[in-house]
């Protein structure tokens, strides 16, 4: 996982913040603590990539509301919520709202660290996927309308003759368009081309 990733700990309990900061830094993770969801949201524009570990019960803005606001702002930060023993229902609600995991207090250090590392890995993978998707979308914009139609036919698994029949052009012309599509999309093979189209559509 990238060294630039930061674990953002949000808890209104100073002792919890201090102990988590010590645990995470000792484990070699970069950590930044915030004493409330309000404080975290106040610096959200300068927050580094990574993940969020937040208490579920906090004054003003609780962990659930924080999740909702992060989603509304388009944040991709994975969220892990910390809950008390009687908060299982809240934890389930948090998972349904998009939390990647929940940890019950008092928690086992190794369990928390494993959850954080998984969240950071997932965030890194999601970021790479989004970057790749953006590149693919830029390449797709370079295709003509007819080239896009040929691409759609190829992705649907159609043979050149079938695509030619569907579009009312000759198989030879389809081959020319197909070659143009491969070049513009920078695809090494048909499978590579199909994979790109599936990534762009969100199917992969």
């Amino acid at each position: 996982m990238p060294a630039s990733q930061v674990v953002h700990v949000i808890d209104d309990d100073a002792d919890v913040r201090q102990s988590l900061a010590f645990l995470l830094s000792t484990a070699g993770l970069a950590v930044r603590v915030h004493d409330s969801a309000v404080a975290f949201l106040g610096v959200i524009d300068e927050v580094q990539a990574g993940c969020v570990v937040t208490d579920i019960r906090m004054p003003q803005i609780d962990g659930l509301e924080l999740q909702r606001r992060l989603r509304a702002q388009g944040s991709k930060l994975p969220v892990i919520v910390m809950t008390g023993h009687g908060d299982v229902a809240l934890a389930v609600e948090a998972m349904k709202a998009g939390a990647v995991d929940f940890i019950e207090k008092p928690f086992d250090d190794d369990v928390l660290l494993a959850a954080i590392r998984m969240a950071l890995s997932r965030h890194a993978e999601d970021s790479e996927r989004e970057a790749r998707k953006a590149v693919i979308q830029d390449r797709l914009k370079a295709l003509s309308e007819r080239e896009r139609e040929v691409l759609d036919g190829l992705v649907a698994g159609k043979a050149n003759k079938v695509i030619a029949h569907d579009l009312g052009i000759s198989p030879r012309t389809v081959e020319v368009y197909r070659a143009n599509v491969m070049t513009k999309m920078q695809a090494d093979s048909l499978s590579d081309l199909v994979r790109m189209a599936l990534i762009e559509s969100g199917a992969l």
Side-chain angles (χ1 to χ4, degrees):
M1 65 190 70
S4 59
Q5 288 192 315
V6 175
V7 182
H8 299 278
V9 174
I10 307 170
D11 199 301
D12 58 320
D13 186 322
D15 290 338
V16 172
R17 293 197 304 272
Q18 187 175 353
S19 63
L20 283 176
F22 178 76
L23 170 66
L24 299 179
S25 58
T26 302
L29 297 167
V31 58
R32 184 173 175 185
V33 296
H34 310 266
D35 60 12
S36 69
V38 175
F40 177 69
L41 290 170
V43 296
I44 191 67
D45 291 339
E46 59 192 61
V47 159
Q48 301 103 309
C51 73
V52 171
V53 178
T54 181
D55 193 19
I56 197 87
R57 291 189 182 277
M58 294 183 292
Q60 294 180 279
I61 298 176
D62 63 19
L64 280 172
E65 180 60 23
L66 171 63
Q67 271 185 272
R68 294 189 190 100
R69 296 196 186 193
L70 287 174
R71 284 186 111 181
Q73 292 180 18
S75 172
K76 303 290 186 183
L77 288 169
V79 177
I80 297 169
V81 295
M82 297 180 290
T83 68
H85 280 314
D87 293 334
V88 175
L90 276 177
V92 171
E93 193 176 341
M95 294 285 277
K96 288 179 179 177
V100 297
D101 208 343
F102 70 88
I103 306 292
E104 287 187 285
K105 296 178 179 178
F107 45 75
D108 180 278
D109 291 351
D110 290 336
V111 171
L112 178 63
L113 289 171
I116 288 172
R117 289 196 171 102
M118 186 174 294
L120 291 174
S121 295
R122 174 171 159 174
H123 184 54
E125 289 166 7
D126 287 347
S127 297
E128 288 170 10
R129 190 179 299 111
E130 287 298 318
R132 178 141 175 75
K133 188 173 179 178
V135 169
I136 292 168
Q137 287 172 336
D138 283 343
R139 292 175 186 172
L140 284 169
K141 289 175 186 173
L143 300 182
S144 67
E145 185 177 346
R146 183 64 91 192
E147 287 167 348
R148 185 63 198 246
E149 290 172 340
V150 170
L151 172 60
D152 290 342
L154 292 170
V155 173
K158 296 178 180 179
N160 285 2
K161 287 182 181 179
V162 176
I163 296 173
H165 178 267
D166 289 346
L167 299 179
I169 56 180
S170 71
R172 174 63 189 145
T173 303
V174 171
E175 288 177 15
V176 173
Y177 280 124
R178 177 172 167 166
N180 289 344
V181 170
M182 295 285 284
T183 299
K184 288 183 178 180
M185 293 300 294
Q186 299 179 35
D188 297 325
S189 63
L190 180 58
S191 64
D192 192 23
L193 188 65
V194 170
R195 190 178 301 108
M196 287 184 194
L198 292 175
I199 289 172
E200 193 275 334
S201 68
L204 269 185

